[in-house]
Amino acid sequence: MLELHQVAQHADDLDRAVDFYTTVLGGELIARFEPPGLAFIRMGTVRLLLERGAPSALIYLHVPDVKESISQLRDADVTVHTEPHRIFVDADGTFGEKGWEEWMAFIRDSEDNLVGLASRHAPAPTG
């Protein structure tokens, strides 16, 4: 059985990146190694490795409500790259409950990497 274990993300300033992913996004610092300048952050069940030598990765984080998360992040002076928007209606239940909507938004982390936020919502009532 395969399970995503770790994602590496570029970080020019390790202190700043650790602060962003722990304080702003709520991850948990697992370990930090100096040298060589590595930090491991628990993000749910996946480890995020922050490292200067890593390439920029486009990661998507599941949040309960994209609109609410963007509002909170904006209040924390996080750069919003793309406002929340519906990207998909799961008519067939391919990714979960039939008819539910998937919403996304994008922010910039402290190192200017693009980070996606995603949430699923019951369809809006009609009529």
Side-chain angles (χ1 to χ4, degrees):
M1 173 64 81
L2 296 177
E3 181 178 322
L4 184 60
H5 178 65
Q6 180 170 294
V7 174
Q9 182 67 293
H10 178 78
D12 286 321
D13 182 320
L14 199 56
D15 290 330
R16 183 176 61 206
V18 166
D19 185 59
F20 182 84
Y21 280 94
T22 58
T23 304
V24 177
L25 294 184
E28 174 191 352
L29 179 63
I30 301 169
R32 186 168 174 165
F33 300 99
E34 297 286 356
L38 306 172
F40 295 88
I41 310 291
R42 185 177 331 280
M43 304 292 290
T45 60
V46 177
R47 283 191 322 219
L48 179 64
L49 164 61
L50 299 172
E51 173 186 19
R52 179 180 274 279
S56 179
L58 176 52
I59 60 175
Y60 292 80
L61 303 175
H62 178 265
V63 296
D65 185 316
V66 167
K67 292 177 187 177
E68 183 178 304
S69 294
I70 287 295
S71 177
Q72 292 169 352
L73 291 168
R74 185 176 278 118
D75 289 347
D77 293 326
V78 172
T79 300
V80 176
H81 181 270
T82 306
E83 293 293 332
H85 58 285
R86 185 180 71 188
I87 61 157
F88 179 66
V89 176
D90 195 356
D92 299 326
T94 302
F95 297 106
E97 295 185 62
K98 283 185 178 183
W100 279 50
E101 301 174 345
E102 185 147 330
W103 283 70
M104 284 192 182
F106 293 86
I107 61 171
R108 292 282 177 182
D109 73 6
S110 63
E111 309 309 292
D112 204 35
N113 298 301
L114 194 61
V115 176
L117 305 177
S119 61
R120 288 179 56 87
H121 302 274
T126 57

